[in-house]
Amino acid sequence: MHTARPTRRLAARAALVGALALSLALAGCSAGTASSSASSTPAAKPSLEFTGPNGEKPGALSELSLTSDEQSKVKDGKYTAAFVWHTSSDFVTAVEKGARDEFKKLGIDVVASTQANFNAATQANNVQTVLALHPSIIVTIAVDPTSAAKAFKPAVEAGTKLVIMTTPPEGYKAGTDFVSIVTEDLTAAGRDNAEILGDALGKKGEVGYLTYNANFWFTNQRDKAFKDWLAYEYPDVKIVDSEGFADETATQTIAAAMIAKNPNLKGIYVSWATAAQGVVAAIKASGRTDIKVVTNDLDTTLGAAMMSGTNVAGMVGNGSIGIGKGLALAGAYGVIGKKAPELVASVPTKVTKANLDKGWESDYGTKPPSSVTGG
């Protein structure tokens, strides 16, 4: 992966406090940096285009399909599949469900499912464990693209077909080292986050920006899209503090400091849901009921907080079941030697308290659990 970290571009804030002029500039998403952001001119309209880690252009998820003859060929092959995930979450569970359902239809047996708790060494060990089962297909997302290039090399050399949810090992090419990338529409997701938070704040207020502090093309582009669309659609909503996290369990501490430094803070964007759980905990610990959180992935903990409290403005679903189905179909492409699109993307879903049932079913294929709805 060769994409750079998301840029923390900030315009000069034309406010003077006493005789002190404050000028801050941020590059990258390093932790411990804060800023005030304002713009004297309207932001340019952002593009809704995005690219894969090697410049791949996304197509629609519906581009993946098999003819009846191709389906029969897959079933006759008695192929197997395994999942080598980066972490565990409600989102990953839903994606795997979508993939398992499609694999079952295609007669492909699932022989293993592992997750690495965002630890690259653990994922490398998981690859070795899974390869001992000789799967025909591995569905994965690289924890660390650089080290994953070595970790997954034995799978490529063995002829195992890799299908990627969002992030491939560094230097791997679609059609050569892996079959396809299946993801969500990143810029649309960023815009959805901006609209959920901007509307929740009544189109004005100060917000924090808490993002993954790594060169992770998928998250980087989605984070940047949020920032760009917020500036364009909500010029009176200002990012006043930007922080990065390398470990999602550290977000509560980071958010607590952000809240303490910015007493007028009214909202916080977080890259994904499990990381946002710590942010919601920090807000609760601060006694603030006026700070709204928006994030990506539907999550039962945040869903329950959204329905019972005031701090979660909403979440953006990824089209999880569809992504899972797409991953399974891409795997089938690989084992029968059919050329697949390099990159395909699902349509995200904005989910708030007002449309929880519909949004949850659209993304996860089920009604929200009673732990979320309180029913």
Side-chain angles (χ1 to χ4, degrees):
M1 176 167 52
H2 305 292
T3 52
R5 289 187 243 175
T7 305
R8 305 295 188 257
R9 295 170 300 161
L10 303 171
R13 183 182 177 93
L16 294 178
V17 181
L20 181 63
L22 226 328
S23 176
L24 294 171
L26 286 172
C29 51
S30 56
T33 50
S35 66
S36 295
S37 174
S39 178
S40 58
T41 59
K45 185 175 181 178
S47 171
L48 279 173
E49 294 182 357
F50 70 95
T51 60
N54 300 302
E56 300 93 343
K57 300 295 185 182
L61 199 56
S62 59
E63 290 183 30
L64 293 173
S65 64
L66 297 170
T67 66
S68 296
D69 286 346
E70 288 168 342
Q71 290 178 32
S72 297
K73 188 175 181 180
V74 173
K75 290 177 181 178
D76 292 343
K78 300 187 184 305
Y79 298 112
T80 60
F83 299 96
V84 180
W85 294 122
H86 55 317
T87 188
S88 60
S89 67
D90 292 333
F91 165 60
V92 170
T93 299
V95 170
E96 183 169 319
K97 180 183 184 303
R100 281 178 176 269
D101 289 347
E102 192 64 23
F103 278 141
K104 185 176 181 180
K105 291 178 185 177
L106 294 169
I108 298 173
D109 292 332
V110 175
V111 295
S113 179
T114 68
Q115 69 92 10
N117 290 317
F118 272 104
N119 185 292
T122 300
Q123 186 172 59
N125 289 334
N126 290 344
V127 173
Q128 293 300 319
T129 299
V130 164
L131 283 177
L133 301 173
H134 307 291
S136 313
I137 301 162
I138 289 179
V139 178
T140 192
I141 168 175
V143 171
D144 170 59
T146 303
S147 62
K150 179 180 179 181
F152 283 92
K153 186 177 180 181
V156 175
E157 292 175 341
T160 304
K161 303 304 179 182
L162 299 183
V163 288
I164 309 296
M165 187 182 76
T166 74
T167 306
E170 186 174 272
Y172 282 30
K173 304 294 184 184
T176 302
D177 305 298
F178 64 89
V179 180
S180 182
I181 298 172
V182 183
T183 185
E184 69 167 335
D185 187 320
L186 302 178
T187 49
R191 181 182 60 183
D192 286 349
N193 276 278
E195 291 176 348
I196 290 173
L197 188 58
D199 291 345
L201 298 185
K203 302 186 178 182
K204 63 181 180 180
E206 297 183 357
V207 302
Y209 182 64
L210 183 52
T211 57
Y212 189 39
N213 188 15
N215 182 10
F216 211 65
W217 77 273
F218 168 83
T219 305
N220 297 164
Q221 290 194 56
R222 190 170 62 182
D223 292 345
K224 183 178 183 298
F226 163 80
K227 195 173 192 179
D228 291 346
W229 282 98
L230 188 74
Y232 175 70
E233 293 192 320
Y234 303 91
D236 292 326
V237 178
K238 309 298 183 185
I239 294 176
V240 296
D241 201 342
S242 297
E243 304 288 347
F245 65 91
D247 179 356
E248 62 180 10
T249 65
T251 56
Q252 183 169 352
T253 300
I254 296 169
M258 181 182 284
I259 293 165
K261 286 187 293 181
N262 300 279
N264 294 322
L265 203 68
K266 296 299 182 182
I268 300 176
Y269 165 84
V270 194
S271 293
W272 65 79
T274 48
Q277 290 177 11
V279 176
V280 173
I283 295 170
K284 183 177 180 180
S286 73
R288 297 283 297 273
T289 59
D290 60 333
I291 300 177
K292 308 292 186 183
V293 174
V294 69
T295 191
N296 294 282
D297 310 340
L298 302 191
D299 175 84
T300 52
T301 300
L302 294 184
M306 180 175 71
M307 297 306 291
S308 64
T310 60
N311 292 127
V312 179
M315 301 168 283
V316 176
N318 305 273
S320 309
I321 294 293
I323 288 175
K325 178 180 178 179
L327 288 164
L329 285 170
Y333 271 55
V335 294
I336 64 173
K338 181 177 180 179
K339 182 175 175 56
E342 293 184 336
L343 173 64
V344 293
S346 67
V347 178
T349 304
K350 291 162 62 173
V351 179
T352 64
K353 186 181 290 189
N355 73 332
L356 176 70
D357 284 357
K358 183 178 179 180
W360 202 277
E361 191 151 7
S362 173
D363 196 49
Y364 285 172
T366 63
K367 293 187 178 298
S370 58
S371 61
V372 172
T373 61

